[in-house]
Amino acid sequence: MKKRIASVLFALAFAILPCVTAFAAEQSEIDALRGTTLYVYNWGEYISDGADDSLDVNAAFEEKYGIEVVYETYDNNEVMYSKLKGGGVSYDVVIPSDYMIERMIAEDMLQPIDFSNIPNYKYIPEKYKNLAHDPKNEYSVPYTVGMVGLIYNTKMVEEAPDSWTALWDENYSDSILMFNNPRDAFAISQSILGMDYNNESPASWRVAAELLKEQKNVSPAYVNDEVFLKMEAGEAAMAPYYAGDFLTMQENNPDLSFVYPKEGVNFFVDGACVLKGAKNKLAAELYINFLLEPEVALANAEYICYASPHTEVYTNPDYSFYEDEILYPEEGKFKTQLFLNLDPEILALMSTLWDDVKNYVPSTGSSNHAFFFGGDSDSSAVIDDGEAMTPEAKRYALYIGIFAAVCLAYVVFRYARKKYRENI
Amino acid sequence: MSSRSSLKSKLVASPYLVWSVLFIVAPLIFVVYYSFTDASGAFTFENITALSKYAPTFLRSIWFGIEATIICLIIAFPLAYIISQKTEKVQRTMVMLVMLPMWMSFLIRTYSWMALLQDTGIINSLLGKIGIDPIHMINTEGAVILGMVYNFLPYMIMPIYSVMAKLDHSMVEACQDLGGNRLTVVRRCIIPMSMPGIVSGITMVFVPSVSTFYISQKLGGGSFDLIGDVIERQFQQSYNYNLGASLSLVLMVLILISMAVMNRFTGEDEEGMVI
């Protein structure tokens, strides 16, 4: 309902909009862009697209500037990065997360934004400026911000969890979901162990990986977007996910509840950036500025349900999530950490460790069980390097061996029979 | 004269040649190139030696592939035979029914199995209505194999059916005339004659089952990897083309070996190759 009221507001607001904005770029330069094309690459479901009477942001931009928007989406930062690195594509605007922005700056994939073309940058409060991933505010304009938390189904969980260790609770075996991407999964494990998300010590990453392996005792399902389907259907008791998405899920399943675990959570800032080699840089800047128009930012905030870093949005009493406790919790209430770009060696290590975690099969009655939560934390315990043949692998080897032997025996049998018949 | 016609035939073949060089040979060369280089492009064996830790994943994928193939064969052989015995009109309808699911996206079909199999899914809620406790099906090995069988079954039915449809019925009659009972007819006559279809069916099911990645992620809950998952992750998430390529190379070699072995089954089998 709120959305509908809001969309009426936009309609009114748009009538007066053109006279408000003042660009450094000449009006004639902007007019010259009519008929050109702008390529935007963003997360899926990450812009108000006109569904449910919301504002269709891309269409509104096209109408205002006469610039055609080609809009494509990706599932996660790494997919976006691989696609851009792989070449063969060319976009103007991308909206990656903090650590990826930092990595792309380091690898010279972004170009500085001309902030004189983004007058609406004034709506971004100081606390979202000068963050570690873009310390001089040259390359990115915050688009959404948010935090990760623990979603749980009150009908399935007896006691409301307040800690990430709930995801290791064997009472909820088979009904725990987990992030299917290494960075977020490791962050949970690192929170429990009290580590820095961005620490550069290989040993500590190995320890965090051991904890993730131990989680296999509760056989978690590793999910991406399926988390919506599974949590809404009451298929799983607990899942770590983004606070904004929890609000979407809760609309469909009121039994769901949310908590920011006490060990601390990841805080992220997704920012709009202009790619190096962008063919339509001025249009890209117009687009980024357009995203910060109060009406557009409000429409996006209503649609995406993530927290907005836009002062005119979160101070607007008509906004559905105005002073929402989950999206805009009191500052300093719990520990938050930003992801930063990691050293390439640590990134490579994280990938291999994640492969190990995914392939790890807990042996039943395993001795390293309760290795972390058990009484005596013997730190000299052997850390499995993932190269040993697990019992499961041996079992498969045995099956394949038997199968091959049967096939071989059959071939030999036929051959022998043929020879025998020829001799008759 | 003959040289001119061969030139002509070369000209006719050239688009296909260009096509296969561009889209088959060139990618293969890239795979080999990436598997033996590191991120900076220097020659290395590191990617190959790093593979040892993926041995369990390879074994699991191969075993799942074998299981799925055997189940497909057991279902497809009688079904193909039954279809081939019907009148032409019925045959056409039944073949279309087999092909029908393939008109939908493979991804959507697999995603819907998730909705069917999960604990609160359609099957379990139906079971609940008739008083049976829910069975945990999703995120198990069985669910992954079911997904493979479901998705790849038509690839087994079609080749077997197309061979059986052309099967010379007088052979079957001859077999019966010589005193063969039903079992003997199937064993000594129908199976050997449909061997080419069976072999191509087995390859067409085994190869995609071994290398699949989507099914295990959705129906297996991502709690265990198949080799396809690892490869996908190297390209999409880790941006480690070199390791991904070397994994693909080994997978390709494994598949080529198993296909070579399969072909022995038909090639050597003279008594089977009547046609």
Side-chain angles (χ1 to χ4, degrees):
Chain A
M1 265 304 105
K2 265 271 159 70
K3 279 182 182 170
R4 194 156 299 163
I5 298 165
S7 76
V8 176
L9 286 175
F10 306 135
L12 291 173
F14 266 98
I16 49 166
L17 203 65
C19 53
V20 189
T21 43
F23 292 100
E26 295 289 327
Q27 188 59 41
S28 60
E29 282 180 64
I30 295 170
D31 287 338
L33 292 174
R34 281 193 179 274
T36 57
T37 310
L38 178 72
Y39 293 87
V40 179
Y41 199 29
N42 192 5
W43 295 76
E45 296 284 313
Y46 220 45
I47 196 163
S48 178
D49 64 357
D52 298 333
D53 283 340
S54 60
L55 172 75
D56 186 339
V57 173
N58 286 329
F61 178 78
E62 285 177 346
E63 197 174 323
K64 186 170 176 192
Y65 293 103
I67 299 168
E68 190 197 346
V69 178
V70 177
Y71 185 83
E72 283 177 46
T73 60
Y74 52 84
D75 306 329
N76 64 51
N77 285 306
E78 284 69 26
V79 169
M80 183 267 318
Y81 173 83
S82 299
K83 195 163 172 193
L84 292 176
K85 266 282 176 182
V89 289
S90 128
Y91 296 101
D92 299 303
V93 179
V94 279
I95 308 189
S97 305
D98 31 47
Y99 69 96
M100 191 50 80
I101 295 175
E102 191 187 358
R103 183 175 183 182
M104 291 168 79
I105 294 172
E107 297 183 15
D108 204 23
M109 294 165 76
L110 301 178
Q111 59 176 313
I113 294 171
D114 182 355
F115 278 85
S116 60
N117 287 332
I118 311 208
N120 288 335
Y121 191 59
K122 65 176 184 248
Y123 296 121
I124 303 293
E126 283 306 313
K127 64 177 171 180
Y128 298 122
K129 289 179 184 169
N130 307 315
L131 293 171
H133 63 272
D134 185 9
K136 290 185 198 149
N137 302 311
E138 290 172 303
Y139 295 94
S140 65
V141 174
Y143 178 64
T144 51
V145 296
M147 278 179 273
V148 172
L150 182 60
I151 303 169
Y152 60 96
N153 188 322
T154 48
K155 287 243 169 90
M156 299 172 81
V157 177
E158 283 168 29
E159 218 176 299
D162 66 341
S163 157
W164 284 124
T165 54
L167 293 171
W168 272 256
D169 188 341
E170 298 207 13
N171 293 327
Y172 303 108
S173 282
D174 285 326
S175 66
I176 284 173
L177 305 181
M178 189 63 182
F179 276 117
N180 196 11
N181 76 71
R183 198 76 204 256
D184 284 314
F186 270 98
I188 292 174
S189 161
Q190 287 166 327
S191 303
I192 294 176
L193 297 166
M195 291 172 183
D196 190 320
Y197 296 163
N198 306 307
N199 80 65
E200 302 265 304
S201 134
S204 76
W205 282 87
R206 284 182 212 279
V207 174
E210 283 310 303
L211 182 54
L212 288 175
K213 281 184 192 168
E214 198 187 307
Q215 198 189 16
K216 287 253 173 163
N217 286 322
V218 301
S219 19
Y222 294 88
V223 292
N224 298 320
D225 284 351
E226 304 100 279
V227 69
F228 288 93
L229 185 82
K230 293 194 185 229
M231 288 309 285
E232 285 169 10
E235 181 67 21
M238 280 180 273
Y241 220 65
Y242 307 103
D245 292 322
F246 159 70
L247 296 168
T248 314
M249 290 178 215
Q250 200 191 24
E251 270 179 32
N252 298 317
N253 184 353
D255 294 335
L256 296 180
S257 188
F258 185 86
V259 64
Y260 287 115
K262 61 183 177 196
E263 291 94 348
V265 295
N266 165 231
F267 164 72
F268 65 83
V269 179
D270 289 351
C273 304
V274 181
L275 279 168
K276 197 135 215 169
K279 296 199 180 74
N280 210 347
K281 184 169 185 254
L282 181 56
E285 285 160 354
L286 289 179
Y287 186 81
I288 294 172
N289 187 60
F290 187 75
L291 291 177
L292 290 181
E293 294 288 354
E295 298 76 17
V296 175
L298 181 60
N300 280 334
E302 295 274 3
Y303 181 89
I304 307 169
C305 296
Y306 278 38
S308 170
H310 193 287
T311 46
E312 292 297 301
V313 174
Y314 66 74
T315 57
N316 183 349
D318 290 331
Y319 170 43
S320 310
F321 303 111
Y322 177 64
E323 292 187 345
D324 185 272
E325 275 173 29
I326 288 167
L327 284 192
Y328 304 99
E330 223 176 286
E331 253 166 274
K333 213 173 171 186
F334 43 81
K335 198 179 158 199
T336 59
Q337 289 187 61
L338 207 61
F339 284 152
L340 295 177
N341 187 24
L342 296 169
D343 196 57
E345 273 167 42
I346 297 290
L347 274 178
L349 176 71
M350 184 178 77
S351 303
T352 33
L353 288 175
W354 181 242
D355 282 350
D356 291 346
V357 169
K358 292 300 287 292
N359 282 306
Y360 177 75
V361 177
S363 45
T364 40
S366 89
S367 54
N368 78 340
H369 175 61
F371 167 59
F372 287 94
F373 305 130
D376 68 315
S377 48
D378 182 7
S379 54
S380 67
V382 192
I383 287 181
D384 179 10
D385 58 1
E387 286 194 30
M389 287 286 276
T390 59
E392 193 219 12
K394 283 184 188 148
R395 201 179 83 218
Y396 290 129
L398 182 71
Y399 291 159
I400 296 169
I402 292 171
F403 179 76
V406 169
C407 292
L408 190 72
Y410 177 70
V411 172
V412 171
F413 163 72
R414 291 195 71 114
Y415 182 73
R417 193 175 60 179
K418 204 172 98 188
K419 280 274 176 266
Y420 171 73
R421 283 183 183 157
E422 275 168 10
N423 286 341
I424 289 175
Chain B
M1 193 62 188
S2 71
S3 77
R4 243 170 81 193
S5 75
S6 86
L7 183 73
K8 227 184 230 170
S9 70
K10 266 181 197 159
L11 271 177
V12 170
S14 63
Y16 306 103
L17 200 71
V18 170
W19 175 272
S20 48
V21 167
L22 259 182
F23 295 106
I24 300 171
V25 181
L28 283 179
I29 291 172
F30 271 112
V31 167
V32 175
Y33 168 77
Y34 274 117
S35 1
F36 291 103
T37 50
D38 61 14
S40 63
F43 180 81
T44 175
F45 275 119
E46 219 170 88
N47 303 312
I48 306 292
T49 50
L51 291 184
S52 63
K53 75 173 204 176
Y54 296 103
T57 319
F58 270 109
L59 289 172
R60 187 189 294 126
S61 309
I62 293 171
W63 177 244
F64 279 22
I66 291 174
E67 271 188 280
T69 313
I70 293 173
I71 297 171
C72 278
L73 185 61
I74 291 170
I75 300 174
F77 186 81
L79 186 61
Y81 183 71
I82 291 166
I83 297 177
S84 70
Q85 295 307 304
K86 302 284 179 204
T87 63
E88 211 162 290
K89 204 178 157 197
V90 179
Q91 278 190 31
R92 244 180 287 142
T93 319
M94 288 179 86
V95 167
M96 212 179 72
L97 285 176
V98 169
M99 305 289 294
L100 196 66
M102 295 171 81
W103 294 0
M104 256 184 293
S105 161
F106 160 78
L107 305 182
I108 295 172
R109 281 181 286 142
T110 309
Y111 213 89
S112 352
W113 269 108
M114 216 162 78
L116 279 169
L117 292 181
Q118 59 191 10
D119 294 345
T120 52
I122 297 167
I123 294 177
N124 271 324
S125 53
L126 283 178
L127 285 180
K129 287 225 170 80
I130 53 171
I132 299 172
D133 282 339
I135 306 162
H136 183 65
M137 290 179 288
I138 194 90
N139 305 346
T140 60
E141 293 179 8
V144 175
I145 291 172
L146 173 80
M148 288 179 182
V149 170
Y150 167 75
N151 277 306
F152 303 131
L153 189 61
Y155 298 104
M156 184 69 95
I157 298 176
M158 291 321 293
I160 300 182
Y161 160 75
S162 60
V163 171
M164 278 181 172
K166 294 191 199 86
L167 201 140
D168 188 354
H169 202 68
S170 55
M171 289 288 196
V172 177
E173 279 162 12
C175 192
Q176 284 164 336
D177 288 347
L178 289 168
N181 60 20
R182 281 185 171 188
L183 191 69
T184 319
V185 171
V186 171
R187 200 166 62 87
R188 303 296 300 275
C189 184
I190 296 172
I191 292 185
M193 284 201 294
S194 47
M195 213 52 187
I198 294 176
V199 169
S200 67
I202 287 176
T203 358
M204 282 171 79
V205 171
F206 182 70
V207 173
S209 311
V210 168
S211 51
T212 185
F213 60 89
Y214 189 79
I215 298 173
S216 53
Q217 281 170 19
K218 299 300 149 186
L219 300 179
S223 45
F224 47 83
D225 268 344
L226 294 186
I227 200 65
D229 298 312
V230 181
I231 295 174
E232 190 226 5
R233 198 155 59 234
Q234 302 314 320
F235 285 98
Q236 293 239 315
Q237 295 267 350
S238 313
Y239 191 63
N240 189 347
Y241 281 22
N242 307 95
L243 182 59
S246 68
L247 284 163
S248 320
L249 187 70
V250 172
L251 183 63
M252 260 191 298
V253 170
L254 281 177
I255 288 173
L256 281 178
I257 291 173
S258 54
M259 273 164 68
V261 171
M262 276 311 300
N263 286 337
R264 301 292 295 172
F265 269 82
T266 42
E268 207 182 285
D269 202 356
E270 284 131 44
E271 56 178 316
M273 298 302 292
V274 189
I275 312 162

